[in-house]
Amino acid sequence: DTGVSQDPRHKITKRGQNVTFRCDPISEHNRLYWYRQTLGQGPEFLTYFQNEAQLEKSRLLSDRFSAERPKGSFSTLEIQRTEQGDSAMYLCASSPKGLFSYEQYFGPGTRLTVT
Amino acid sequence: GENVEQHPSTLSVQEGDSAVIKCTYSDSASNYFPWYKQELGKRPQLIIDIRSNVGEKKDQRIAVTLNKTAKHFSLHITETQPEDSAVYFCAASGNSNYQLIWGAGTKLIIKP
């Protein structure tokens, strides 16, 4: 399967614990995005990478959230000291190289439940 | 910054009829307008997109139209089928960080 993959697909954690999610973009896609989605809402932008550089981070994003893409391939999203309000679907998307390549392809998401 | 409004929030149509979902955007610099379909518990799936140098694009039963002057674009689904039931999102982009600005979504219900 050459699509965007995410791991794990589901994560249940207790409040206060740290969690880390992984995203593997489509091969040779150089742009990678993280979104959060709650039931009945559209995707909420979290952060964006072009290659290994993190170019934008949502102003709404707490300091407890951090993302990396060390080699410009896969990316990780870490949430420290999780809160119940962090429960959501975390989606990753990637875009092809190219000045006019805006299309984003999504992975299956990681569903986080904080108890 | 860019703002995208989408309506209606819910649309119920008889199977076989057409469905139209409309979006407006605020930033005249936006030049890329995708539509995503999301079934319950699944990922958003890109179903069609249009760029600002084109007024209409079709792909089988779905089509998108763009009116740059009025800053609105629409999704048209003809001969609707039960599998068209989903939430549809419009979005706009064109800024330097390639970020998509999303509409709030339309829940499409196809009645048998």
Side-chain angles (χ1 to χ4, degrees):
Chain A
D1 185 354
T2 56
V4 179
S5 62
Q6 292 186 245
D7 184 71
R9 297 290 303 277
H10 303 273
K11 179 70 177 179
I12 300 174
T13 190
K14 292 185 177 180
R15 188 172 51 139
Q17 297 295 304
N18 299 343
V19 294
T20 300
F21 310 141
R22 176 178 170 129
C23 171
D24 286 87
I26 294 172
S27 179
E28 298 188 0
H29 278 196
N30 69 332
R31 286 191 286 274
L32 187 148
Y33 306 80
W34 284 99
Y35 292 89
R36 177 170 59 191
Q37 188 176 30
T38 53
L39 197 62
Q41 303 296 316
E44 175 193 0
F45 171 77
L46 295 179
T47 191
Y48 154 64
F49 289 87
Q50 181 160 303
N51 299 312
E52 66 276 7
Q54 187 174 20
L55 297 186
E56 184 147 347
K57 186 175 176 179
S58 170
R59 290 189 297 273
L60 302 176
L61 202 60
S62 160
D63 290 345
R64 297 183 296 106
F65 287 71
S66 63
E68 294 183 339
R69 195 183 182 199
K71 296 183 179 179
S73 56
F74 73 92
S75 175
T76 57
L77 176 69
E78 181 183 18
I79 310 174
Q80 296 182 327
R81 305 180 303 281
T82 52
E83 302 172 357
Q84 286 189 322
D86 296 332
S87 295
M89 176 73 85
Y90 289 83
L91 293 163
C92 174
S94 69
S95 286
K97 293 177 185 176
L99 190 60
F100 302 108
S101 296
Y102 291 95
E103 58 271 28
Q104 295 184 19
Y105 300 95
F106 283 82
T110 295
R111 182 167 295 285
L112 173 66
T113 303
V114 182
T115 61
Chain B
E2 175 67 284
N3 182 52
V4 176
E5 295 188 356
Q6 180 173 349
H7 57 94
S9 57
T10 304
L11 178 61
S12 184
V13 302
Q14 205 70 38
E15 181 179 350
D17 288 351
S18 296
V20 181
I21 303 170
K22 298 181 180 181
C23 288
T24 59
Y25 61 99
S26 59
D27 188 351
S28 57
S30 291
N31 58 10
Y32 174 70
F33 307 93
W35 285 91
Y36 285 83
K37 174 184 180 182
Q38 188 174 30
E39 297 174 72
L40 192 62
K42 302 282 184 68
R43 74 187 80 188
Q45 179 187 2
L46 178 64
I47 56 172
I48 195 167
D49 56 14
I50 192 167
R51 298 178 189 269
S52 58
N53 58 346
V54 176
E56 183 176 3
K57 185 176 178 181
K58 288 184 180 179
D59 183 3
Q60 300 182 336
R61 295 186 299 108
I62 60 173
V64 55
T65 58
L66 172 64
N67 183 324
K68 284 184 62 180
T69 303
K71 290 191 281 190
H72 66 70
F73 56 111
S74 301
L75 177 70
H76 305 252
I77 305 174
T78 59
E79 302 172 4
T80 52
Q81 300 171 2
E83 54 264 36
D84 295 330
S85 293
V87 178
Y88 291 80
F89 292 98
C90 65
S93 185
N95 50 23
S96 58
N97 66 8
Y98 298 85
Q99 185 177 334
L100 290 178
I101 307 302
W102 295 76
T106 296
K107 183 176 183 179
L108 177 62
I109 301 166
I110 307 300
K111 296 181 291 186

